[in-house]
Amino acid sequence: MLTILGFAMIATFLVLIMMKKMSPIAALVLIPALFCVFVGKGAKLGDYVLDGVTDLAPTAAMLMFAIVYFGVMIDVGLFDPIVRGILKFCKADPMRIVVGTALLAAIVSLDGDGSTTFMITVSAMYPLYKRLKMSLVVMTGVAAMANGVMNTLPWGGPTARAATALKLDASDIFVPMIPALLVGLAFVFVLSYVLGVRERRRLGVLTLDEVLEEEKETETVLVGSGGSGDGKVSMRKGGTGGTGSGTDAPEDAVGSGSGASAADDGFQGLDPNRPTLRPKLYWFNALLTVGLLTAMIMEWLPIPVLFLIGAALVLSVNFPHIPDQKARLAAHADNVLNVSGMVFAAAVFTGVLQGTGMVDHMAKWMVDVIPGSMGPHMALVTGLLSLPLTYFMSNDGFYFGVLPVLAEAGAAHGVTPLEMARASLVGQPLHMSSPLVPAVYVLVGMAKVEFGDHTRFVVKWAALTCLVILGAGMLFGII
């Protein structure tokens, strides 16, 4: 019964948010609360929620101060050269911009933190997508997939969890997987090229001079519903409308939360003359950011502590007057509230899943239904199961709860724990868009994309990326 209710709860949540019948925060709170009552454990709902909040509180704190930190860095102009450089390189070509999004996300993902990757990537690329009226779900989808592949780095989380759960060395798991992961990353770039070509066909190509000339004419750049029909992008003052949906973008993204809200009507590009710029402090801010990312990779301090200190430092140095500091905090309060609220709402969902035992019963059922004849192929089975399981449950739940059981079943048929651990990494490109991953709410929140729109767009492509990695691993004899 718990197995059925668990799958029913997840399905209900996904259907409601993708059909936009409920907001993600409301769905994350109300649906698990209702199912907790159905299970007959309503009296323990408070305990489950508090357990979930306790587990996710450090993540919420990290996201709150990371948003403030990178928000201020955008204000003071740290990323302006990146935007200008990408704009010149891409020459206002949608295809190059989409490929550039994947490349930037992959490079920044070397720090091992998805939230940081999405903040930097969206900060740099969002103005370009808005100016050219490109589909924002293409940006979020490509960034999530590139980050998902790179999330398998030993310091990224999943590899370390697999190594800990099976008592293996992380390098023994990761290093042999590099060829398969490179194939997966190459596939993301190829997919980005294809999606970019589709956007180019829909919008046409602006010359760099046209884009720069438009920036001189007006700071406010609004988003229309698509190209003007003559192969060129129509950019104008005034008007309403949302991001063009583009091929493969959700049709209802036009005029929805993916860019058509009233807030977007006042979208400001990176104004080169905005009063918050601090050109004299540019190298201080750049070195501080490099130092912060280095400290994260080297694990000198917990990530929430690093961002807390970093946010306080960057505010104090760049805006020494208290009224200016308050103004910067107020400017980013909307993102902070949305993302942290989403994390604490997700704590209700994960708390009920784990507390009621639903997740354990779901995992056991999936293991039990594996035919005995598949025993010698448990690595392949594990790779396939990692797609739905890491999407519907946390990495901790999968790697510490499910993987050891699968590894035992594999060992009985001569499949080594190393093969099982490598196979378990396959689902990460899809996992990064899971509703249980806090970083994805940073991505869709900063990009002003509805989570349901992002999900409809990215799931099929992310799942295909996972299968490409799995196929490469089998072909190379790694899995």
Side-chain angles (χ1 to χ4, degrees), residues 210-259:
E210 287 177 300
V211 176
L212 295 179
E213 180 63 29
E214 181 62 28
E215 288 180 11
K216 292 177 182 178
E217 291 178 7
T218 176
E219 290 180 7
T220 303
V221 182
L222 302 181
V223 179
S225 59
S228 59
D230 59 359
K232 293 183 179 180
V233 180
S234 171
M235 301 180 71
R236 62 193 183 278
K237 293 183 182 179
T240 55
T243 31
S245 58
T247 306
D248 278 327
E251 291 181 5
D252 56 357
V254 180
S256 72
S258 61

Side-chain angles (χ1 to χ4, degrees), residues 5 18 44 56 77-78 114 118 158 194 212 223 234 264 271 296 310 324 340 377 381 406 412 429 447:
L5 287 175
M18 285 193 287
K44 296 184 178 180
L56 290 181
L78 180 63
F118 295 148
V194 172
L212 295 179
V223 179
S234 171
D264 284 346
D271 177 11
M296 287 172 54
D324 292 337
S340 59
H377 308 288
V381 171
L406 292 172

